[in-house]
Amino acid sequence: MKRIFKWLFRIVLILLIVAFLFVFIAYWRSTNDCNRLGTAPQNPMKAIVYCDYGLGNVRLDQIEKPVPKDDEVLVRVRAASVNPYDWHFVEGTPYVMRAMGVGLRKPKDIRLGVDFAGTVEAVGKNVTQFKPGDEVFGGRGGAFAEYVCRRATGAIALKPASLTFEQAASVNIAGITALQAVRDKGKVQPGQKVLINGASGGVGTFAVQIAKSFGADVTGVCSTRNADLVRSLGADHVIDYTKEDFAKNDQRYDVILDNVPNHSLSEIRHSLTPNGKYVMIGGGGPNDNRWVGPFGRVIHTLVLSPFIGQKMGMMMAQPSTQDLTLLAEMVQSGKLKTVIDRTYKSLSEVPDAIRYLEEGHARGKVVITVE
Ligand SMILES: NC(=O)c1ccc[n+]([C@@H]2O[C@H](COP(=O)([O-])OP(=O)(O)OC[C@H]3O[C@@H](n4cnc5c(N)ncnc54)[C@H](OP(=O)(O)O)[C@@H]3O)[C@@H](O)[C@H]2O)c1
């Protein structure tokens, strides 16, 4: 027995040393395209880049203007919007993200931003859906730039004429997340009681309106200063979280959409009907666990779900042309409006915009005009 334990100990030790060496080498080999920034681009455009993690490393630089492939459109970006997604990438948190391909020591992709609206400048030879001059909106990594290339069949759609570029740029991530949370994960039905925690932020302002358009009885949770806004978006009831805790009253909801998971799962279960659904959308923001972020809570919901009547789980929004088009139609028909908190006037202000969003109290969306 003693010899077996000795050998087992040696094997585990060797495995640990190999794993440590592997992570150490991968960490120091982790690099990105920043060395190319030293050489002057032949056809330059301005773009936001970050060579290392941290908001202090986010800056405006000149990089090569992209050329559309056969199935892509080249869009002159006129406006972009900021999402919590962006600061997760800037900070490289939760750290587990870095090991999942984002870059261990440095960000692999040095570009930032996703949501954009702009004008099609050129199209690849196989593109039939768009033509130069079309006004479009959608999502594509690297949207904090003067130009972006997007596959024509990807998350890009014609911009509703009634929307400004700034309004259209605010739709993609927040609107699609809200739509898929209400329709696909919450499966909201007319007459159901739906609670939206974090009703005044980017996702929440869309979710309130979409849940209402599905015929739900909507309760929005926000702070005092946002109560009127949330009511004006159609919420039937508003709970001011500075005065009342929704998890401590006797009201039960069929669906809870949670942008701010600041209640324990047992508190959430208390506020759900016996067959209710809990859709976890957000993590805990900058105060979340820096190593695993919301994943601990996700695992908790997975472990709990098979043993209870209520359905609990996290959603991950999926890019979708159909959903973008549907959102555009809802905006065009007046069923949905965009709420913009602040508009920053140039790409150079992207770090300020991300800093503001990171504070966690944006009222609707934060947008950048790309001059
Ligand atoms: N799962 C996905 O696919 C997916 C997609 C998009 C976003 N997300 C996540 O969803 C979350 C929300 O995104 P977002 O774009 O809506 O963020 P956001 O715009 O930054 O949300 C800010 C809002 O949160 C509200 N808030 C802060 N503390 C609150 C509290 N204790 N109770 C209720 N509301 C509170 C603020 O209202 P007050 O100013 O009134 O406090 C503010 O209006 C983020 O964690 C984001 O990472 C997930």
Side-chain angles (χ1 to χ4, degrees):
M1 274 307 259
K2 214 173 162 190
R3 276 181 64 189
I4 292 176
F5 274 122
K6 231 180 185 178
W7 273 106
L8 271 179
F9 177 75
R10 281 179 190 158
I11 290 168
V12 169
L13 195 68
I14 289 168
L15 285 177
L16 280 175
I17 291 170
V18 170
F20 176 78
L21 278 177
F22 180 78
V23 172
F24 184 80
I25 293 167
Y27 179 83
W28 285 106
R29 281 175 61 92
S30 154
T31 186
N32 54 35
D33 272 354
C34 273
N35 45 356
R36 281 207 220 147
L37 292 177
T39 50
Q42 293 184 337
N43 196 5
M45 71 162 183
K46 286 187 203 150
I48 287 290
V49 297
Y50 70 129
C51 293
D52 289 289
Y53 290 116
L55 195 52
N57 297 311
V58 175
R59 63 170 205 268
L60 190 61
D61 210 323
Q62 301 264 4
I63 64 168
E64 203 64 51
K65 180 178 165 184
V67 177
K69 297 194 183 100
D70 291 349
D71 59 348
E72 287 183 342
V73 295
L74 174 69
V75 179
R76 165 83 171 95
V77 179
R78 304 287 299 277
S81 81
V82 187
N83 290 284
Y85 182 89
D86 300 313
W87 60 250
H88 279 298
F89 276 79
V90 168
E91 302 295 348
T93 56
Y95 296 133
V96 68
M97 261 175 56
R98 299 190 188 195
M100 289 161 76
V102 174
L104 275 178
R105 185 167 60 104
K106 293 165 178 282
K108 248 187 207 164
D109 184 355
I110 62 168
R111 305 281 304 280
L112 276 174
V114 175
D115 291 352
F116 68 85
T119 315
V120 173
E121 188 165 284
V123 300
K125 69 175 182 346
N126 298 339
V127 174
T128 52
Q129 303 89 328
F130 302 101
K131 58 181 188 320
D134 280 349
E135 294 184 345
V136 292
F137 72 118
R140 172 72 175 140
F144 295 152
E146 288 180 312
Y147 292 91
V148 77
C149 273
R150 184 77 185 94
R151 208 161 25 84
T153 51
I156 181 168
L158 288 172
K159 175 178 87 63
S162 60
L163 287 193
T164 63
F165 285 111
E166 283 75 10
Q167 289 169 326
S170 72
V171 174
N172 179 54
I173 287 187
I176 285 186
T177 305
L179 177 63
Q180 294 178 357
V182 171
R183 181 194 61 197
D184 306 338
K185 294 291 171 183
K187 299 196 185 337
V188 171
Q189 303 298 318
Q192 282 193 323
K193 288 189 184 307
V194 175
L195 178 123
I196 298 167
N197 191 26
S200 54
V203 175
T205 48
F206 282 111
V208 168
Q209 301 177 77
I210 294 171
K212 204 59 216 151
S213 77
F214 274 58
D217 180 78
V218 176
T219 301
V221 181
C222 60
S223 64
T224 316
R225 73 182 185 111
N226 290 324
D228 286 345
L229 165 74
V230 171
R231 227 173 261 117
S232 76
L233 295 173
D236 302 280
H237 321 274
V238 171
I239 295 179
D240 177 347
Y241 71 78
T242 65
K243 297 182 181 146
E244 186 188 346
D245 184 345
F246 74 83
K248 296 213 164 70
N249 66 27
D250 288 333
Q251 189 63 58
R252 301 284 181 275
Y253 300 93
D254 300 296
V255 179
I256 294 180
L257 305 180
D258 200 355
N259 295 305
V260 193
N262 54 351
H263 290 83
S264 69
L265 291 183
S266 57
E267 286 175 317
I268 294 289
R269 289 195 60 204
H270 165 83
S271 299
L272 278 177
T273 55
N275 296 313
K277 295 190 190 74
Y278 172 62
V279 183
M280 181 179 156
I281 301 173
N287 302 325
D288 221 341
N289 180 298
R290 289 183 77 77
W291 283 92
V292 293
F295 294 117
R297 188 176 172 96
V298 174
I299 291 168
H300 193 171
T301 60
L302 289 174
V303 171
L304 198 61
S305 281
F307 304 102
I308 57 177
Q310 296 152 331
K311 280 206 166 62
M312 309 189 109
M314 177 156 199
M315 70 161 292
M316 289 305 291
Q318 299 303 321
S320 159
T321 317
Q322 286 87 341
D323 286 351
L324 260 190
T325 309
L326 177 61
L327 289 165
E329 283 165 12
M330 288 175 80
V331 169
Q332 193 74 26
S333 66
K335 276 191 192 155
L336 196 61
K337 65 179 178 188
T338 56
V339 178
I340 293 180
D341 177 347
R342 288 189 182 184
T343 304
Y344 289 81
K345 293 296 177 200
S346 78
L347 276 175
S348 60
E349 294 184 39
V350 164
D352 294 334
I354 296 176
R355 191 172 295 113
Y356 175 63
L357 195 78
E358 200 168 353
E359 287 166 12
H361 295 287
R363 202 169 191 243
K365 292 288 301 173
V366 174
V367 178
I368 322 282
T369 300
V370 181
E371 69 288 3

